Amino acid sequence: MSLINVQGVVLKYIKLGESDKIITILTDKLGKVDVVSHGARKTKSKFMASTQPFCYGEYQLYKGKSLYTLSQSSIIDSFQSIIMDLDKLSYGVYFLELIDSLTENEAKSVSMLALLLKTLYILTHDDVNLKLLRLTFDFKAISIGGYMPQISKCLKCGDKISEGYFSIIDGGTVCRNCKDNKYNYGINKETMNYLHIIKNIKLEDLRNIKYDEKTIDYLQNIMTRYIFYQTDKELKSISLMNKINK
Ligand SMILES: [Zn+2]
């Protein structure tokens, strides 16, 4: 039996039998893996806390025929304060679900784990506008996931543009002449500028930028449609997040 030590964040779990769980962890060495945790739903289990969603920990696993099994674990940060705040929780659940939808099992993605950890730290410690955090997270997560939108040049003719349209289907900006279907959303100079900011900014610098909530809402609507079109996955957490943060 070979053991492997990984660090990772628990994205979700499903119940198994009477007291077991299968947890999904985004890890540093193995990418996303499903791990059987025996007895983890018993209140006295040593795995009880380390197998909760959001928990960032060290996990020792061994590989069975198809799944990994948890052998040891220790918590690095449980991000408990996210769970205590309903607004933050609704965003946090969304961040976990989007990352789950953008990653394949056992495809290594250290940068996705780094993005998730940074986002959870900011959600926990920083006083940052949550809508702005989500929009920026979305842009970075889909870019790492292979769907980075092209902005500033027209996707079709290659002309440099400072305004135009965002094409959900083609994944980026197009000019007035090249817009050709109903999945185009107008992008004026100001929104184009915001797109550049969220593409380039480091998450830790978000608290320093000026933002206009209407523009953020407008771009988020485009982003949400774009993600849905490209991934073809409906995220359950979106409706809850929208309800709580109306
Ligand atoms: Zn064009």
Side-chain angles (χ1 to χ4, degrees), residues 130-147:
L130 294 178
K131 287 181 173 180
L132 183 62
L133 178 62
R134 176 188 171 194
L135 180 63
T136 314
F137 169 85
D138 279 4
F139 198 104
K140 293 181 188 306
I142 56 165
S143 298
I144 297 169
Y147 306 100

Side-chain angles (χ1 to χ4, degrees), residues 53-68:
F54 296 110
C55 187
Y56 172 43
E58 290 196 34
Y59 300 89
Q60 187 177 65
L61 318 174
Y62 63 89
K63 182 145 195 193
K65 270 183 204 149
S66 58
L67 292 171
Y68 289 90

Side-chain angles (χ1 to χ4, degrees), residues 174-187:
V174 291
C175 73
R176 209 169 294 270
N177 299 330
C178 295
K179 131 185 202 292
D180 65 352
N181 62 59
K182 62 183 174 157
Y183 298 104
N184 290 303
Y185 294 84
I187 298 287

Side-chain angles (χ1 to χ4, degrees), residues 15 25 30 32 47 73 77 80 85 106 121 145 151 164 178-179 182 184-185 189 200 205 207 218 245:
K15 293 175 182 176
I25 317 179
L30 301 169
K32 188 172 77 175
F47 296 141
S73 67
D77 194 331
Q80 274 298 301
D85 178 321
E106 301 200 36
Y121 276 113
I151 51 176
C178 295
K179 131 185 202 292
K182 62 183 174 157
N184 290 303
Y185 294 84
K189 281 186 182 149
N200 297 316
D205 294 331
R207 71 176 105 96
Y218 181 72
N245 300 286

Side-chain angles (χ1 to χ4, degrees), residues 79-220:
F79 294 109
Q80 274 298 301
S81 67
I82 296 175
I83 298 161
M84 306 296 192
D85 178 321
L86 195 57
D87 284 351
K88 289 187 174 186
L89 177 63
S90 68
Y91 278 86
V93 169
Y94 167 77
F95 295 149
L96 297 185
E97 193 183 12
L98 180 60
I99 287 211
D100 186 33
S101 84
L102 288 171
T103 47
E104 298 291 331
N105 271 26
E106 301 200 36
K108 228 175 148 182
S109 184
V110 177
S111 41
M112 199 67 105
L113 178 61
L115 173 69
L116 178 58
L117 280 171
K118 206 183 249 189
T119 306
L120 294 180
Y121 276 113
I122 288 170
L123 193 57
T124 309
H125 299 292
D126 276 14
D127 187 19
V128 59
N129 179 282
L130 294 178
K131 287 181 173 180
L132 183 62
L133 178 62
R134 176 188 171 194
L135 180 63
T136 314
F137 169 85
D138 279 4
F139 198 104
K140 293 181 188 306
I142 56 165
S143 298
I144 297 169
Y147 306 100
M148 185 194 275
Q150 181 187 304
I151 51 176
S152 81
K153 271 186 187 172
C154 172
L155 270 173
K156 301 209 169 154
C157 69
D159 276 2
K160 209 165 185 297
I161 48 173
S162 58
E163 57 188 333
Y165 295 85
F166 188 94
S167 166
I168 300 289
I169 293 175
D170 297 315
T173 47
V174 291
C175 73
R176 209 169 294 270
N177 299 330
C178 295
K179 131 185 202 292
D180 65 352
N181 62 59
K182 62 183 174 157
Y183 298 104
N184 290 303
Y185 294 84
I187 298 287
N188 63 20
K189 281 186 182 149
E190 194 193 358
T191 40
M192 184 73 92
N193 191 30
Y194 265 95
L195 277 174
H196 281 288
I197 291 172
I198 61 165
K199 181 185 175 190
N200 297 316
I201 198 167
K202 287 182 180 164
L203 286 173
E204 55 268 37
D205 294 331
L206 273 183
R207 71 176 105 96
N208 300 324
I209 71 160
K210 285 192 184 140
Y211 59 89
D212 166 58
E213 207 146 316
K214 268 192 189 154
T215 310
I216 301 292
D217 287 345
Y218 181 72
L219 284 175
Q220 185 62 62

